Amino acid sequence: MSSSNKVRFYLPEGLRQSAEAGEHNFLTKVADVLRAADLDVVYEAPHFADARRSGYSLFHMERPFTRNSVTVRRAYFYPFWQIEHSHERWRWDVAKARFDPDGIDVNEAVRFYRFWQKRLYEAPLKNLGHDGFVYVPLQGKLLEKRSFQHCSPVEMIGHTLAQEPNRKVIAALHPKESYSEEEFAVLERLEAEYSQLELRMGDMDDLLARCDYIVTQNSSVAFSGFFFGKPCVLFGQIDFHHIAANVALLGVAGAFDAVRSSAPDYALYVWWFLQKMSINAGRPETEDRIRARLLALGWPV
């Protein structure tokens, strides 16, 4: 078979072996679609990736080549996936799409939402409430303002404290991130200066269940908050921005004003985002959805 008909799956250790053995549900279905189109699928480590090679390429969460190349990434929860030309979620088609609840089957959306509420968060949802605090899930690079952010994460905490002088603010460090001594020092100074600020490590489920709302750059914790009926303020760009109070659009004060009265229909949005705009690898039409997506991205399937 010509090398121009070859699709190289550049996958990290572990995932590569799982996909090659046909044990990864989504990637196996992608490979089946490609083989049905007379394309040859091969599996290689990412360090072999070379844009000069002919044919097509697929990456997992990594930046794809500019030509004949895609990246795949989980849409926050299994078995939902996206196939994209960019590894940056805020550049994905779903991020650019307009969320229109009209035409969505409300009963189906509610059924779907309640199923995934129970599947993902059954235990913490039994303790659902509002304890009068703002939950700020932190990610990495706390002192740095990156291109997709309105300000640095530490400055985001400062804005939150300024907008909520009488409400407790709990900023939670990510348990899988590695923070520098300088970052810890800055956070400790803030905690000493502001009596309403509390620092924690992790505790996502408990904090989602009891907070009033969430403030983040673009953490997936905010999307998880939709299953708890908790609104969010976004200081960064991301794909699930549609029902959020977005600082880029509203300004800092405007976003905080908006989130305090926010009451989006979470069931409709979660259904639209996961079931309509993502590929559910557990559905019988998965291969048709994969084929349609690859065709839309210019692949010969």
Side-chain angles (χ1 to χ4, degrees):
M1 182 172 289
S2 167
S3 60
S4 63
N5 288 331
K6 186 171 289 187
V7 182
R8 295 178 176 86
F9 281 32
Y10 293 117
L11 303 173
E13 200 73 15
L15 181 61
R16 184 171 70 257
Q17 288 81 359
S18 173
E20 191 165 13
E23 297 170 352
H24 190 284
N25 185 30
F26 179 68
L27 290 174
T28 297
K29 291 180 179 180
V30 174
D32 288 345
V33 168
L34 295 170
R35 292 187 181 111
D38 292 326
L39 294 167
D40 183 27
V41 176
V42 296
Y43 300 86
E44 298 186 11
H47 64 263
F48 288 118
D50 188 339
R52 297 169 296 180
R53 301 169 85 177
S54 61
Y56 297 81
S57 58
L58 177 147
F59 292 82
H60 176 249
M61 295 176 56
E62 300 294 333
R63 183 194 300 272
F65 301 136
T66 57
R67 181 175 174 274
N68 295 341
S69 187
V70 297
T71 191
V72 300
R73 185 165 186 167
R74 185 164 46 95
Y76 301 106
F77 307 101
Y78 290 109
F80 303 98
W81 290 83
Q82 293 285 8
I83 305 174
E84 296 287 338
H85 272 323
S86 173
H87 67 300
E88 297 171 325
R89 291 184 185 269
W90 54 92
R91 301 187 189 279
W92 288 1
D93 285 356
V94 64
K96 301 172 186 176
R98 176 176 173 266
F99 168 55
D100 184 1
D102 293 342
I104 295 177
D105 185 324
V106 175
N107 291 330
E108 169 60 18
V110 170
R111 184 206 63 79
F112 178 86
Y113 181 70
R114 288 177 178 168
F115 172 86
W116 284 100
Q117 276 186 308
K118 184 175 181 179
R119 176 85 170 262
L120 296 168
Y121 300 111
E122 181 176 16
L125 279 167
K126 292 177 181 178
N127 188 37
L128 189 64
H130 295 81
D131 286 349
F133 69 88
V134 179
Y135 173 27
V136 184
L138 296 171
Q139 296 157 284
K141 302 180 188 285
L142 300 184
L143 308 181
E144 179 182 337
K145 176 189 178 297
R146 292 183 272 178
S147 61
F148 57 88
Q149 297 174 326
H150 175 80
C151 61
S152 74
V154 161
E155 290 170 328
M156 175 183 70
I157 295 173
H159 284 303
T160 305
L161 293 167
Q163 293 296 320
E164 292 288 5
N166 300 312
R167 199 191 303 246
K168 187 173 184 178
V169 174
I170 299 179
L173 295 161
H174 197 296
K176 293 184 179 180
E177 285 284 352
S178 179
Y179 298 101
S180 68
E181 291 184 7
E182 183 183 8
E183 288 172 318
F184 279 121
V186 170
L187 290 175
E188 288 166 0
R189 284 199 298 270
L190 277 173
E191 190 175 31
E193 182 178 354
Y194 293 92
S195 60
Q196 83 265 37
L197 176 62
E198 178 185 335
L199 298 178
R200 287 200 194 173
M201 179 67 73
D203 284 345
M204 182 189 81
D205 287 358
D206 290 342
L207 293 171
L208 282 176
R210 304 306 302 180
C211 72
D212 290 350
Y213 65 88
I214 300 150
V215 175
T216 185
Q217 293 286 350
N218 62 1
S219 171
S220 62
V221 172
F223 190 88
S224 294
F226 296 160
F227 291 98
F228 292 78
K230 302 298 176 74
C232 68
V233 172
L234 293 179
F235 274 79
Q237 300 176 63
I238 196 58
D239 52 344
F240 59 81
H241 61 84
H242 307 81
I243 61 171
N246 201 320
V247 169
L249 296 176
L250 303 173
V252 173
F256 278 86
D257 285 343
V259 78
R260 295 185 192 104
S261 59
S262 180
D265 193 317
Y266 297 103
L268 294 187
Y269 183 74
V270 167
W271 181 91
W272 176 81
F273 188 93
L274 292 178
Q275 192 76 316
K276 180 178 179 180
M277 300 302 293
S278 307
I279 298 174
N280 183 344
R283 298 281 298 175
E285 69 273 12
T286 299
E287 291 190 14
D288 291 337
R289 293 284 305 276
I290 292 169
R291 185 175 297 106
R293 181 59 179 157
L294 291 172
L295 276 171
L297 294 173
W299 283 38
V301 294

